[in-house]
């Protein structure tokens, strides 16, 4: 399985295609519902360097604060991404993100945004909170913890061989569109089979 | 009654078990799904990761999923026990389990967006009480995650889009449609709790109560038993697969329940439970002795 180092170049991202399994290593940031609205309200210069050329992880972790004040992720799987559909393409373009990690896939606005900006959607396994937390050895810092609470804060994290699969690439291909179309055709067939 | 019993501790242990240990029958169903998937497929790899995750969570006594969900609880209590106290004790257990990281601080003030920080809030945990004739307590809890909660859906029959009438064929169409609409977003492979009938509120509650049933049980009503079996087969023919990656394992079980309805209403209400079908059941006697039923 290929290992991709973060930060990553547009060229490397554009070489990825749907169905490829990859391991990510390096620095990324978490952000979900409150974060996406906040990132679009105005340009957040303090967070921008942590978004540039890396990926945002749709994740609301369980976090433990150790005695020395440092943080560790106790459980950290992906949350459903489709809620960020209204914002995602703009967040990618505005902050120079190279990808999104989440689950469940995203819609046509994001797919078009990935192609335009040179980014990918990476699917992590939903609910695999222990497997994924083990791939996050370090928490560097956190933004908006007081305001958004633990699940919604933006956590700057370091990952080591974090496992994902490309399910939407920068060439306009979405695995989710294909599966949805096939399942809708099958539903029609099933309904027609019984009157 | 139960005056000398530390129910907070017992309820905290109930929460720990549910959050960190998947019932064996659920793991077995996931393993059976894995065996059906094509070797090396995305579907099989997803299930492999899930199975490794289940083992790790159990060994580490840490949450299976970071979305530790809403504790939805059904408590049966003998006459004379204060439900006010039971609610206070359960809420205290949610606070404690949140401190211990068995639960994520998961309650958000809807208007301000501020997290309460302690896991509890207005309507959380969600507890249903019923008096019974036994001397002890019967406590059954599921941890209901938000991603799968978002793909729950309520149909009102007849439904012209689905050409679904007020009969079991209409119910079948609604349930199949619900699974297609959910795709992988509810963390497939899922378990479906369905209520046929009821009102808009009672139906959702009853659909969730179906999730307390063992995955492999048989419905007492033979027509519903046949429909459960048929829907299990047909939902897995849709090809959605684990995580919506495509594959043969989309739904692990379908459980249908029924409530009576008004002449004007015919609801089909579907609750989607993710693969992390977390639950824990306990009986507690008056001396505080616990028997774990799951």
């Amino acid at each position: 399985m290929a290992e991709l180092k973060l930060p990553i170049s547009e060229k490397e991202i554009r070489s990825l295609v749907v169905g490829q399994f990859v391991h990510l290593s390096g620095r990324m940031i978490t952000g979900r519902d409150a974060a996406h609205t906040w990132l679009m309200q105005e340009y957040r210069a303090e967070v921008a360097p942590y978004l540039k050329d890396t990926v945002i992880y749709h994740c609301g972790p369980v976090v433990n604060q150790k005695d020395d004040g440092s943080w560790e992720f106790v459980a950290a799987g992906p949350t459903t991404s489709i809620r960020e559909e209204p914002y995602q393409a703009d967040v990618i373009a505005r902050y120079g993100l190279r990808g999104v990690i989440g689950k469940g896939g995203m819609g046509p606005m994001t797919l078009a945004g990935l192609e335009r900006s040179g980014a990918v959607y990476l699917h992590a396994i939903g609910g695999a909170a222990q497997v994924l937390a083990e791939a996050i050895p370090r928490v560097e810092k956190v933004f908006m913890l007081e305001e958004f609470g633990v699940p919604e804060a933006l956590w700057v994290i370091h990952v080591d061989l974090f496992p994902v699969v490309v399910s939407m690439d920068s060439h306009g291909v979405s695995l989710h569109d294909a599966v949805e179309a096939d399942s809708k055709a099958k539903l029609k067939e099933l309904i027609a089979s019984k009157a | 009654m139960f005056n000398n019993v530390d129910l907070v501790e017992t309820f905290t242990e109930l929460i720990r078990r549910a959050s960190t240990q998947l019932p064996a029958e659920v793991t077995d169903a996931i393993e059976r799904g894995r065996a059906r998937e094509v070797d090396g497929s995305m579907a099989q790899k997803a299930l492999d990761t899930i199975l490794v995750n289940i083992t790790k969570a159990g060994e580490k006594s840490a949450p299976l999923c970071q979305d530790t969900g809403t504790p939805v609880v059904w408590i049966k209590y003998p006459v004379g026990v204060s439900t006010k106290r039971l609610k206070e004790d359960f809420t205290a257990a949610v606070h404690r389990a949140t401190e211990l990281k068995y639960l994520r601080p998961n309650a958000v003030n809807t208007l301000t967006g501020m997290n309460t920080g302690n896991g509890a809030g207005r309507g959380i945990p969600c507890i249903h009480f019923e008096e019974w004739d036994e001397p002890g307590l019967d406590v059954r809890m599921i941890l209901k995650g938000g991603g799968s909660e978002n793909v729950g859906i309520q149909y009102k029959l007849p439904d012209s889009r689905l050409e679904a009438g007020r009969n079991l064929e209409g119910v079948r169409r609604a349930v199949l449609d619900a699974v297609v609409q959910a795709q992988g977003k509810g963390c497939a492979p899922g378990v479906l709790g369905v209520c046929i009938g009821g009102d808009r509120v009672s139906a959702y509650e009853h659909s969730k109560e179906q999730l307390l049933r063992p995955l492999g049980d048989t419905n007492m009503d033979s027509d519903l038993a046949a429909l459960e079996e048929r829907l299990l087969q047909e939902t897995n023919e849709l090809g959605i697969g684990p995580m919506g990656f495509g594959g043969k394992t989309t739904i692990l079980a379908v459980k249908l329940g029924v409530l009576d309805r008004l002449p004007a209403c015919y609801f089909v209400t579907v609750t989607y439970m993710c693969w992390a079908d977390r639950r824990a059941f306990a009986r507690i006697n008056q001396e505080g002795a616990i028997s774990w039923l799951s």
Side-chain angles (χ1 to χ4, degrees), chain B residues 33 57 107 174 183 191 289:
Chain B
Q183 292 292 304
V191 176

Side-chain angles (χ1 to χ4, degrees), chain B residues 230-252:
Chain B
R230 180 171 183 190
L231 280 168
L232 179 60
Q233 190 191 320
E234 290 183 338
T235 50
N236 286 311
E237 289 172 17
L238 291 168
I240 295 166
M243 294 296 127
F245 286 171
K248 298 169 185 167
T249 316
T250 304
I251 295 295
L252 301 174

